Amino acid sequence: MDCEHFELYASAYIDNALSEKEKLEFENHTDECDYCNIKLQNLKIVVESINNIEEIELPRNFSNELKSKLEKESEIEKPNNIKNIISNYKKMLGVIAGIFIIITSITLINNFSIYINRNNLHSGVDKLGKGKEEITFDIASEESMEAVDELENNDINQPRIMAIDNNIEAKQEMANEESIESTNNEENNNIMPGENNEDSLEYKNAENKPIEKNRNRVMNISVSALIVGATSIFIYKKFKK
Amino acid sequence: METLSSQEASLIEQSKAGDIESFEQLIISHQKRAFNIAYRILGNLEDANDATQEALIKAYKGIKNFNGKSSFSTWLYTIVNNTCMDFIRKNRKTKLTYLDREYEAEANSYKIQVHGDKETPEEALEKKEVQKIVHECINKLAYEHRRIIVLRDIQQFSYNEIAEILNCSEGTVKSRISRARKNLKILIQEKLDK
């Protein structure tokens, strides 16, 4: 303890707020140091002067004025209670409406993203289907033209060999059918990559389905947590009041 | 620190239900002290009256939230202290105008308690003069120091109670008291030297 720490300890010493050890050190110092001792005595006089400041009485009309204000306040509070109940219900409805909007928005977003994914899948499949029909149509038209030509030739040249022609026609038809089949087979082979593409598209979609499901699951959990949290906070505040 | 007596607890419960008479009974032993705190912080009677009334209305409105964790008096004086601080913030410009006139008005509008018959008139006058000087010097302190002087040296709250009222640590209370008293001593010294 030295003169530097006097200010720090003097007030607490007067208020008896020092520990025993600190108190002893302080007293030892003030016994030895006249300067700090004088400062301590001056401080004690100041504190005692403040302690001796007398309380003043309340103004004459204080209690009446307070009473009328309390009565006014009490009257204001009564209709306010009804207003508070109504406003609380309004707040509750507001919160419920807000939660409903959030759920609806998230559900719509979910459905929209699923809708887009489905459209992408269908359009991919549609493209493949359309290609097949075009090829088949082209083959059929070519074959029909050939068949017509054959028939015309037969009609012009050999009417008396109708039976043979018929046979020839039948054979040609069969040949045509075979050629159509073989062409189809070729096309099938050719579209194997396409089929692979379709498979791969389906594979991708199949692959994406779990991811999509997980995403939806996460969103649903988030929404549920949000609702539970908001409701809990609201109920807690309401009961706290 | 005071603890809730059963009578006080009963009055608090009834006040929470909105009973004005119970509330008046509850605060009757505290209102003079509340008024004096406000008076010493704000420095004049008019502001002290307004601030104290406002604080007591706030206490009436807020008593539903009183949870008994602190004593009722500490809770009430916290409201008084905060109301005074709000008052000061609102009326910063006008606070100094009262200093010159206040003591004249006070002499007519309030009664000084004289201790017994042993005091001579001269002693009483001297005492009044000393109090006047101390009162004026307290009014010259910064508000942070002023309220700590009021709470500790005038109202005799403990360090723990002051920490609760001002919502700070006891260490902070200790250091503020030390600085406030040091400044007050300097102001009084200057006043006496004039």
Side-chain angles (χ1 to χ4, degrees):
Chain A
M1 178 71 63
D2 53 19
C3 298
E4 212 177 305
H5 297 106
F6 173 81
E7 298 294 347
L8 199 63
Y9 288 95
S11 273
Y13 175 76
I14 290 169
D15 294 333
N16 208 24
L18 290 177
S19 65
E20 282 303 315
K21 185 186 171 191
E22 286 169 335
K23 188 178 170 183
L24 198 62
E25 281 179 13
F26 186 79
E27 282 173 346
N28 286 341
H29 177 75
T30 51
D31 285 344
E32 289 167 3
C33 178
D34 290 337
Y35 180 65
C36 287
N37 189 31
I38 291 167
K39 283 209 295 187
L40 177 63
Q41 300 310 318
N42 286 342
L43 187 61
K44 277 184 178 177
I45 291 168
V46 168
V47 172
E48 277 172 21
S49 315
I50 307 168
N51 290 161
N52 291 335
I53 283 182
E54 284 150 352
E55 272 196 334
I56 57 172
E57 294 296 321
L58 289 166
R60 284 189 202 96
N61 207 30
F62 186 88
S63 296
N64 291 337
E65 200 179 326
L66 180 64
K67 192 182 179 74
S68 64
K69 283 181 182 175
L70 288 170
E71 283 167 355
K72 213 182 266 183
E73 191 57 43
S74 177
E75 281 170 18
I76 293 168
E77 268 195 10
K78 278 176 193 167
N80 270 351
N81 282 339
I82 297 166
K83 279 186 191 171
N84 282 342
I85 291 165
I86 293 170
S87 78
N88 278 343
Y89 275 116
K90 279 186 184 172
K91 281 179 194 170
M92 203 160 69
L93 281 172
V95 168
I96 292 168
I99 292 168
F100 179 73
I101 288 166
I102 291 167
I103 296 169
T104 310
S105 306
I106 291 172
T107 311
L108 284 172
I109 291 166
N110 271 346
N111 289 342
F112 185 64
S113 64
I114 291 167
Y115 172 73
I116 288 174
N117 284 336
R118 274 190 195 158
N119 274 352
N120 288 339
L121 173 65
H122 287 307
S123 65
V125 171
D126 284 344
K127 273 183 189 171
L128 292 166
K130 213 175 176 182
K132 270 192 190 173
E133 283 171 7
E134 283 173 359
I135 292 164
T136 309
F137 175 73
D138 287 339
I139 293 166
S141 64
E142 284 174 8
E143 290 301 325
S144 64
M145 286 301 290
E146 285 176 9
V148 166
D149 288 341
E150 288 286 339
L151 282 170
E152 280 180 359
N153 289 335
N154 289 335
D155 285 338
I156 292 165
N157 296 325
Q158 302 283 335
R160 58 171 184 222
I161 52 168
M162 284 292 283
I164 299 169
D165 286 341
N166 285 336
N167 283 334
I168 291 168
E169 279 179 16
K171 281 183 187 174
Q172 279 175 348
E173 278 178 12
M174 280 177 66
N176 288 339
E177 282 175 8
E178 284 173 5
S179 69
I180 287 168
E181 275 181 19
S182 65
T183 315
N184 280 341
N185 286 333
E186 283 173 11
E187 285 300 322
N188 284 339
N189 290 332
N190 288 335
I191 66 172
M192 278 300 284
E195 279 182 345
N196 282 338
N197 287 335
E198 188 180 298
D199 281 345
S200 66
L201 185 67
E202 283 177 355
Y203 178 74
K204 275 183 192 169
N205 285 329
E207 215 176 41
N208 287 337
K209 272 185 184 171
I211 297 169
E212 193 64 39
K213 274 186 186 172
N214 280 339
R215 203 186 300 160
N216 289 339
R217 203 176 293 153
V218 166
M219 286 185 92
N220 287 336
I221 291 168
S222 308
V223 168
S224 306
L226 193 74
I227 296 163
V228 168
T231 312
S232 309
I233 290 166
F234 179 75
I235 291 169
Y236 171 71
K237 280 189 176 174
K238 197 163 184 273
F239 277 112
K240 198 180 169 187
K241 280 180 188 175
Chain B
M1 197 187 296
E2 296 172 43
T3 52
L4 283 177
S5 67
S6 58
Q7 191 192 6
E8 197 175 55
S10 166
L11 288 172
I12 288 170
E13 283 309 309
Q14 286 166 28
S15 301
K16 282 183 180 184
D19 185 12
I20 293 175
E21 278 183 25
S22 298
F23 183 75
E24 284 175 318
Q25 281 298 310
L26 183 62
I27 60 156
I28 199 161
S29 57
H30 299 291
Q31 58 188 16
K32 187 177 175 183
R33 202 175 183 190
F35 179 74
N36 274 269
I37 290 172
Y39 173 65
R40 297 298 171 187
I41 291 175
L42 297 173
N44 70 88
L45 286 174
E46 195 179 326
D47 286 351
N49 186 48
D50 291 342
T52 311
Q53 297 267 340
E54 193 179 325
L56 292 175
I57 298 295
K58 279 184 188 174
Y60 173 72
K61 283 158 77 173
I63 198 160
K64 293 168 194 122
N65 300 326
F66 176 69
N67 51 23
K69 282 184 183 173
S70 62
S71 68
F72 177 75
S73 60
T74 309
W75 178 79
L76 180 65
Y77 298 133
T78 306
I79 295 174
V80 171
N81 175 64
N82 291 339
T83 307
C84 289
M85 290 297 111
D86 292 339
F87 211 88
I88 287 164
R89 279 184 216 110
K90 278 185 214 169
N91 301 300
R92 262 190 201 282
K93 289 178 187 174
T94 57
K95 67 178 173 64
L96 292 174
T97 61
Y98 290 105
L99 281 175
D100 292 332
R101 293 197 311 255
E102 69 187 67
Y103 225 82
E104 293 170 33
E106 284 163 13
N108 292 328
S109 61
Y110 74 96
K111 196 171 63 176
I112 298 173
Q113 292 171 356
V114 178
H115 291 287
D117 298 322
K118 293 178 186 174
E119 219 170 50
T120 64
E122 290 78 20
E123 283 170 347
L125 188 67
E126 191 182 328
K127 195 174 181 181
K128 192 178 171 184
E129 283 298 314
V130 168
Q131 289 196 10
K132 182 182 172 184
I133 290 167
V134 171
H135 178 77
E136 284 175 4
C137 292
I138 288 173
N139 280 343
K140 286 181 183 174
L141 286 172
Y143 288 112
E144 281 300 318
H145 291 164
R146 195 187 301 186
R147 58 182 181 164
I148 205 105
I149 291 285
V150 168
L151 292 172
R152 175 62 207 150
D153 292 329
I154 299 178
Q155 296 298 332
Q156 310 286 322
F157 284 108
S158 69
Y159 278 32
N160 190 22
E161 285 171 325
I162 295 171
E164 240 185 279
I165 291 169
L166 300 183
N167 194 29
C168 62
S169 66
E170 273 192 46
T172 305
V173 172
K174 251 187 216 180
S175 64
R176 279 189 196 169
I177 287 174
S178 173
R179 284 201 299 274
R181 283 172 177 169
K182 183 183 171 186
N183 289 345
L184 187 61
K185 197 172 77 167
I186 293 168
L187 285 168
I188 292 173
Q189 197 68 49
E190 285 173 0
K191 192 82 180 173
L192 292 174
D193 288 345
K194 284 179 187 174

